[in-house]
Amino acid sequence: MKISRRTMFAAAAASLAGVAQKAVAIAPASSPSLPQPASPLAPRPPMGWNSWNSFAGTITEDQALETAAIMRDALLPSGYNVFTIDIQWYEPEASSYTYNANPVPALDAHGRLVPAPNRFPSAKGGAGFAPIAAKVHAMGLQFGIHVMRGISRHAVKLNLPILGTNVRAQDIADTTSICAWNPDMYGVDMTKPGAQAYYDGLFKLYASWGVDFIKMDDMSRPYDSRAPEIEAAATAIARCGRPMTLSLSPGETPLLRGDHVRRHAQMWRISDDFWDEWAQLEAQFTRLENWTPFRGPGAWPDADMLPLGRIALGDRVSRFTPDEQQTLMTLWSITRSPLIMGGDLRHLDAATLALLTNPEVLAVNQASQDNRPHFLEDGLRVWSAASEDGEARYLALFNLGTKTRNVSIPLETIGVKQAMTLRDLWARRDLTPVAKHVAIPLRPHASALFRLG
């Protein structure tokens, strides 16, 4: 079964995974003088669940509400509060990770996609996602949806009128701007009259449903050709009357556009779809290092969802070993990547739940600052951060090699100049205080996360 929406990732991952780090300790580069994002949204990395890794485009209303209830009980107490229905909720015949070549999606009279009523019965009569959103909100969760860039090809074929204008779908569609991996949409030519009005009407519809979070796809690659629609979506959100966090997908978002993307979105993907393969996880280290200058409140480089537990339409459990799963959570936490669980919560096992909900690890993701990499030796990755109150430092160690190694990190490398208490955050226990070094054996692909202070 083919499970990646896009097929370009593997070669890039292998290439990046082979980049060696020189055995030289260097001071981290200072962050560029960038203005803070204007939006007060996402002051901390969003945490939640998304249906893609578990359901592809097939999730139904009953499955969504069952999953949301499990999320409320199992994950919400730890801060996971964004529940998102991923791609093709408007496609009546969605059945797998493969898309229909000629879809006939559910549309309203103005060419806007609406939930397929055979899969989401409460959407009938023009209700859209409002009934589901209300139930999700009543559980204490935020409600999110996935959308594709542009306007439905079927709406263009029917040449439906654009709400609030005298133009029609064919007047604003850019039929040369086509997603490489999904057949649903054409791009919107933002130079055309009525183009912004289309996006304004789209997000007002989402606001009327009670949507809190938008994952917008086919937006970040190729970036420059998508930039007008990124700006249009941000403008439409600002006008829609409801706060919505905007997450752009897929990557790899170009670093040279870091300032632009952080001014228009609160999350943006740094890679293609991330799945449970070590080469892909190893490649994320370099990407997360590169995005360090752009990370901060309201602006979060996104290493993608957590493919943990039961995934891929129930086809398998995660192929990551237990050590690799901990490495994944340690890396996402020390780099403050959003934490979006992708596994099927209906089959949530105790080990995965413990991995997701360790409060001391989550505190690093949600309440740390000055997160930075240190480049010391080949095959060893080191990150440090400060606690939010500045009274302690965090230290994350990773063995990317194929053999167990004894790791010894001088405290001065991470800015610590005195003896300190040492706490293992994964084990949740205090260790012997350290004076000059933190030393630990690490198995292949394993990690450790400490608090000093």
Side-chain angles (χ1 to χ4, degrees):
M1 177 174 63
K2 180 179 177 61
I3 61 172
S4 179
R5 279 178 274 192
R6 297 161 284 276
T7 60
M8 304 175 188
F9 184 78
S15 174
L16 281 169
V19 177
Q21 298 299 323
K22 302 300 182 183
V24 178
I26 60 172
S30 59
S31 298
S33 180
L34 296 173
Q36 286 298 311
S39 172
L41 295 168
R44 302 181 189 275
M47 300 171 64
W49 179 87
N50 177 290
S51 63
W52 170 252
N53 287 156
S54 302
F55 292 95
T58 71
I59 194 168
T60 65
E61 180 166 345
D62 287 345
Q63 291 168 337
L65 292 175
E66 179 185 10
T67 301
I70 298 169
M71 181 177 171
R72 172 198 61 202
D73 297 339
L75 296 181
L76 179 60
S78 295
Y80 293 84
N81 67 341
V82 182
F83 174 85
T84 302
I85 294 177
D86 207 272
I87 198 166
Q88 286 206 317
W89 37 265
Y90 46 81
E91 166 60 281
E93 299 180 357
S95 60
S96 72
Y97 285 96
T98 301
Y99 302 113
N100 295 328
N102 296 293
V104 181
L107 296 168
D108 73 2
H110 299 284
R112 300 175 296 185
L113 296 165
V114 296
N118 63 319
R119 293 169 53 199
F120 301 96
S122 68
K124 294 177 181 178
F129 270 130
I132 292 180
K135 292 180 179 179
V136 169
H137 290 154
M139 297 180 196
L141 302 169
Q142 295 184 12
F143 180 66
I145 59 173
H146 172 289
V147 301
M148 292 293 298
R149 176 185 66 93
I151 186 168
S152 164
R153 294 193 200 184
H154 194 61
V156 174
K157 179 180 178 180
L158 299 176
N159 203 22
L160 295 174
I162 303 303
L163 181 67
T165 75
N166 58 2
V167 303
R168 291 180 172 268
Q170 292 178 11
D171 298 319
I172 64 169
D174 180 355
T175 58
T176 68
S177 180
I178 298 173
C179 177
W181 44 267
N182 177 277
D184 297 346
M185 315 292 279
Y186 289 124
V188 172
D189 184 343
M190 296 309 303
T191 68
K192 297 293 183 66
Q196 184 62 53
Y198 164 74
Y199 271 114
D200 290 349
L202 197 62
F203 282 88
K204 286 179 180 176
L205 178 65
Y206 303 154
S208 74
W209 291 346
V211 172
D212 306 294
F213 182 96
I214 296 285
K215 176 185 174 183
M216 199 162 187
D217 220 330
D218 192 35
M219 289 289 268
S220 296
R221 192 184 66 221
Y223 192 89
D224 289 354
S225 68
R226 306 310 197 230
E229 288 181 88
I230 292 173
E231 295 174 6
T235 297
I237 289 174
R239 294 174 176 176
C240 77
R242 183 179 181 86
M244 293 183 195
T245 298
L246 179 60
S247 169
L248 301 184
S249 181
E252 187 168 343
T253 304
L255 278 166
L256 290 175
R257 297 297 177 261
D259 183 42
H260 183 273
V261 72
R262 73 193 299 274
R263 287 188 286 111
H264 294 92
Q266 290 73 58
M267 288 171 52
W268 59 90
R269 284 272 296 281
I270 64 168
S271 73
D272 213 322
D273 279 3
F274 175 77
W275 282 93
D276 50 332
E277 298 177 5
W278 173 251
Q280 294 191 21
L281 176 51
E282 188 174 8
Q284 298 299 66
F285 280 86
T286 299
R287 294 189 174 100
L288 288 163
E289 290 161 4
N290 291 341
W291 277 104
T292 294
F294 300 96
R295 181 183 300 113
W300 305 111
D302 177 18
D304 203 10
M305 293 172 286
L306 306 168
L308 301 172
R310 183 80 64 87
I311 57 176
L313 292 169
D315 184 59
R316 66 174 191 273
V317 296
S318 179
R319 291 182 291 227
F320 285 133
T321 67
D323 280 341
E324 290 168 349
Q325 291 182 40
Q326 181 175 304
T327 289
L328 167 61
M329 285 297 295
T330 302
L331 180 62
W332 266 235
S333 294
I334 195 67
T335 62
R336 306 198 73 187
S337 176
L339 295 176
I340 309 297
M341 170 58 170
D344 191 337
L345 298 186
R346 300 171 303 173
H347 303 279
L348 185 61
D349 61 281
T352 302
L353 179 61
L355 192 72
L356 292 169
T357 59
N358 182 311
E360 298 184 38
V361 174
L362 294 181
V364 181
N365 179 270
Q366 292 292 294
S368 60
Q369 59 179 330
D370 191 30
N371 307 72
R372 58 176 67 185
H374 304 268
F375 306 107
L376 303 177
E377 300 176 25
D378 289 346
L380 172 68
R381 298 295 175 103
V382 179
W383 275 78
S384 71
S387 61
E388 200 167 58
D389 59 14
E391 295 183 357
R393 287 204 69 82
Y394 297 113
L395 173 65
L397 306 176
F398 305 90
N399 179 9
L400 274 58
T402 58
K403 297 180 179 179
T404 297
R405 66 185 297 168
N406 292 314
V407 176
S408 180
I409 304 298
L411 294 184
E412 63 182 15
T413 300
I414 60 170
V416 176
K417 300 180 180 179
Q418 61 189 28
M420 304 194 81
T421 60
L422 184 68
R423 183 170 178 82
D424 183 331
L425 299 189
W426 280 112
R428 299 175 67 181
R429 64 186 177 91
D430 293 329
L431 305 177
T432 302
V434 292
K436 294 184 177 181
H437 296 79
V438 173
I440 185 176
L442 280 180
R443 293 184 297 271
H445 301 180
S447 63
L449 184 58
F450 301 107
R451 187 179 193 272
L452 296 101

